[in-house]
Amino acid sequence: MSADHEIDNLLHEERHFAPSSEFAQNAIAQANLYEEAASDRLGFWADQAKRLHWHKPFTKTLDWSNAPFAKWFHDGELNVSYNCLDRHVEAGNGDRVAIFFEGEPGDTREITYAELTREVKKAANVLTQMGIKAGDRVAIYLPMIPEAVIAMQAVARIGAIHSVVFGGFSADSLSSRIDDAQAKLVITADGGYRKGKASALKPAVDEALAGDKCPSVQNVLVVKRTNQDVNWVEGRDVDWNMALAEASDEHEAQAFNAEHPLFILYTSGTTGKPKGILHTSGGYLTQASYTHRNVFDLHPENDIYWCTADVGWITGHSYVAYGPLANGATQVMYEGTPETPDWGRWWSIVQKYGVTILYTAPTAIRSFMKMGSSIPAQYNLSTIRVLGSVGEPINPEAWMWYRKVIGGGKAPIVDTWWQTETGAIMVSPLPGVTTLKPGSAQVPLPGISAKILDDDGNELGRGHAGLLVLTEPWPSMLRGIWGDSERFKETYWSRFEGMYFAGDGAKWDEEGDLWLLGRVDDVMNVSGHRLSTAEIESALVSHPYVAEAAVVGAKDETTGQAVVAFVILRQSQVEAAGDADHVSKALRDHVAKEIGPIAKPRTIMVVAELPKTRSGKIMRRLLRDVAEDRPIGDVTTLADTSVMDIISGKVAAGAND
Ligand code: WTA
């Protein structure tokens, strides 16, 4: 039996979940969307764009003549913030709650669309008074508090460009991002609440700007959240709360060209220097709102939507700060961590606000699984009707748990594939249309064209794995890398002529559904056979012993690469699992059974934690260092830097046989 054939076994998912007729009947997205988009792709996107308010309507949909630099709706003018705020108030929905804010200590705020609009107008006036003009860059370094959304919206409103830097990043990372974008202003806070205590942010800003490190910065606007003591630089630092209190709440939104830059968001690439991914206005907002409405089946009058992502990541841009507001949604925003004060916090929030749509990441789902179903079972989660997943492949076991324990066995799960670069969701089921299949992101959305190619650029069909590409431009696509158009062309457009190379491996199954196989740099080559880390991880976590698993390819003299697995055991199984040799044998046999002997990990290491970035991505680079017995590389982007000391102290279990 060939390795390819063996890999097929795992991706042949037997479980299918058709939408209920009740859900399908009331769903926003109907099956005809696919036909509409297929028969006239550009006309379809123009129709989606027309759901926004245009100060000056566009007459042209796409200009691709200077590919890969796209222009969408480029003779039109709009204001992004007007679309997210004023127009809902003008439509009579000013009293609708825009944000239910839940602070980690338990403080709450309820902000209506009318109130949010007023706050954003005040903030826009403050920015203008500080000399910020259209096109200027503003760095935002804030915790998950409403001011983060207010700041982003205010920057957008005056046509300036925000660069949100995740609050968990260090002073150095902040400094290099500020400098790369030549930001004039930094908006930050004294601190925020995390894991039960006030955690400072302002000192990192002071350090990032110290000496003449970032000469472009003229001011720092500081939100008071924790009232910690902060260092204050006279003439540079401005108190947000005081400035807004004095500002006028009158502000007329000006129109900007559809291609006016909206934001830069830095993301890591294959080199050490992060890439400043550039997004613009009209196309971005069109696709963020289109996907938010159709993929989550948003009924803004009734739904309570909650996306758990931090605004420091693209998900927090498109599905907290822009998409939901463009659609007039009511959303929950939570400041803290899921385990504070205990692992029931998220479910208590769902119960308290009656959350109907929950969008989160597989890593969180697996953490909850690890803690046990009895915790969510203590809360009333019956309001939930749509569940979303993003950021990495969701293994079928986590998918099933999510559906059963969180979704009451009935809520559809939308597994959404996309990237910082794509700006919005690209591949996902539509909840009232698609028959769901655990573990697969399924099909490109209406309006999106994806293919899978082999290394030579030949298109692959059902049953084959290769490289995922996007073959047609889409409205929310990145418009470039800030200050580096060569890197933009090189990274995304040079691998295959005229196509966007996503950097992910993928496979069409026999039914034409798409399975993401992880980054191509996470794809291993063992004895000439291509194996995906995600696939082996999925097999490992389907064994009752295993709560979480991470797999890396380590150099091997004989096989090129060898599979090395790091596993966390389920609390309840530690005794049954026995010693390391026993665990190793059981899991290697299990993987052999699930995928084939070729995929058997050479080494299995039982660990207590996995190294993750603050956004929850496993840092395989560090695990590779352990697997290849090298000194551990740079750990500064880890959420918990002590993890590597714990892991590297472990002794490898099992051996070749
Ligand atoms: C991965 C996050 C499988 C993928 C929105 C992609 C996924 C990278 C999924 C982008 C998914 C994201 N299934 N893999 N549903 N969603 N990914 O830029 O490898 O933080 O290339 O954007 O995450 O990560 P980014």
Side-chain angles (χ1 to χ4, degrees), residues 8 11-13 16 34 427-429 434-437 439-445 448 450-452 459-464 468 506-516:
D8 280 348
L11 300 188
H12 190 75
E13 176 58 60
H16 290 66
Y34 291 103
V427 179
S428 165
T434 315
T435 292
L436 304 171
K437 192 186 284 184
S440 166
Q442 302 202 283
V443 283
L445 287 179
I448 301 300
K451 283 185 181 164
I452 296 174
E459 184 176 355
L460 298 172
R462 293 183 179 195
H464 294 281
L468 181 64
K507 172 168 181 156
W508 297 119
D509 69 14
E510 294 297 343
E511 294 169 312
D513 282 315
L514 190 88
W515 291 73
L516 276 311

Side-chain angles (χ1 to χ4, degrees), residues 555 621-633 648:
K555 285 197 193 70
R621 176 170 62 75
L622 299 178
L623 292 177
R624 246 175 255 132
D625 290 345
V626 175
E628 299 184 358
D629 213 14
R630 278 192 299 267
I632 309 295
S648 45

Side-chain angles (χ1 to χ4, degrees), residues 301-440:
E301 328 73 48
N302 304 324
D303 278 316
I304 307 290
Y305 164 85
W306 182 21
C307 166
T308 64
D310 191 280
V311 290
W313 310 112
I314 190 67
T315 307
H317 283 58
S318 305
Y319 300 106
V320 177
Y322 291 110
L325 295 180
N327 291 334
T330 296
Q331 69 179 317
V332 171
M333 184 177 194
Y334 170 56
E335 178 184 32
T337 57
E339 72 272 35
T340 308
D342 57 58
W343 282 94
R345 186 64 184 270
W346 278 20
W347 316 121
S348 80
I349 292 173
V350 168
Q351 173 177 286
K352 177 171 172 184
Y353 296 101
V355 169
T356 59
I357 304 169
L358 177 70
Y359 190 28
T360 192
T363 182
I365 298 164
R366 287 194 295 265
S367 298
F368 288 116
M369 264 175 91
K370 191 165 73 181
M371 300 319 296
S373 311
S374 61
I375 299 174
Q378 290 158 25
Y379 299 88
N380 179 0
L381 309 181
S382 64
T383 49
I384 288 181
R385 59 177 206 89
V386 179
L387 293 171
S389 173
V390 62
E392 53 174 315
I394 176 164
N395 50 295
E397 274 54 46
W399 196 103
M400 290 302 296
W401 186 90
Y402 196 28
R403 179 177 168 96
K404 180 167 163 245
V405 179
I406 308 304
K410 62 182 190 345
I413 296 176
V414 287
D415 175 6
T416 63
W417 177 87
W418 59 295
Q419 308 176 298
T420 304
E421 293 87 341
T422 70
I425 298 169
M426 302 294 281
V427 179
S428 165
L430 288 175
V433 179
T434 315
T435 292
L436 304 171
K437 192 186 284 184
S440 166

Side-chain angles (χ1 to χ4, degrees), residues 98-351:
I99 299 176
F100 282 116
F101 171 68
E102 172 98 3
E104 199 193 73
D107 57 317
T108 60
R109 282 160 75 184
E110 198 179 297
I111 307 172
T112 64
Y113 270 93
E115 288 162 348
L116 190 63
T117 305
R118 273 201 299 280
E119 289 302 297
V120 170
K121 287 179 172 181
K122 287 196 237 170
N125 285 325
V126 168
L127 297 178
T128 304
Q129 281 157 22
M130 295 177 93
I132 304 300
K133 298 192 179 61
D136 287 345
R137 275 78 62 205
V138 176
I140 296 178
Y141 187 65
L142 284 169
M144 272 303 273
I145 55 177
E147 283 76 8
V149 172
I150 295 169
M152 292 163 83
Q153 285 284 340
V155 169
R157 190 174 184 89
I158 62 169
I161 305 169
H162 59 68
S163 162
V164 182
V165 180
F166 175 58
F169 275 131
S170 65
D172 277 353
S173 313
L174 175 62
S175 186
S176 63
R177 284 163 173 77
I178 292 173
D179 198 49
D180 187 73
Q182 291 288 293
K184 267 172 90 170
L185 171 71
V186 182
I187 306 179
T188 189
D190 46 5
Y193 292 97
R194 269 184 67 80
K195 301 199 177 183
K197 53 181 197 296
S199 138
L201 272 181
K202 176 71 165 41
V205 176
D206 292 331
E207 196 186 326
L209 305 182
D212 54 0
K213 271 195 276 187
C214 295
S216 59
V217 174
Q218 295 170 356
N219 289 105
V220 177
L221 198 45
V222 187
V223 176
K224 296 286 172 64
R225 164 66 181 143
T226 56
N227 293 311
Q228 289 162 285
D229 279 340
V230 288
N231 166 46
W232 204 256
V233 179
E234 285 307 325
R236 184 195 73 181
D237 297 352
V238 178
D239 184 317
W240 163 286
N241 305 59
M242 275 161 62
L244 257 76
E246 288 161 16
S248 155
D249 62 3
E250 305 272 333
H251 184 277
E252 196 179 332
Q254 261 184 64
F256 294 97
N257 186 273
E259 280 300 332
H260 188 76
L262 179 63
F263 66 83
I264 305 167
L265 182 59
Y266 287 86
T267 184
S268 43
T270 45
T271 71
K273 187 178 188 282
K275 304 175 277 196
I277 303 300
L278 176 68
H279 284 286
T280 60
S281 304
Y284 172 79
L285 197 63
T286 294
Q287 197 172 329
S289 71
Y290 154 73
T291 51
H292 180 256
R293 187 164 169 271
N294 287 285
V295 173
F296 299 112
D297 190 45
L298 181 84
H299 293 75
E301 328 73 48
N302 304 324
D303 278 316
I304 307 290
Y305 164 85
W306 182 21
C307 166
T308 64
D310 191 280
V311 290
W313 310 112
I314 190 67
T315 307
H317 283 58
S318 305
Y319 300 106
V320 177
Y322 291 110
L325 295 180
N327 291 334
T330 296
Q331 69 179 317
V332 171
M333 184 177 194
Y334 170 56
E335 178 184 32
T337 57
E339 72 272 35
T340 308
D342 57 58
W343 282 94
R345 186 64 184 270
W346 278 20
W347 316 121
S348 80
I349 292 173
V350 168
Q351 173 177 286

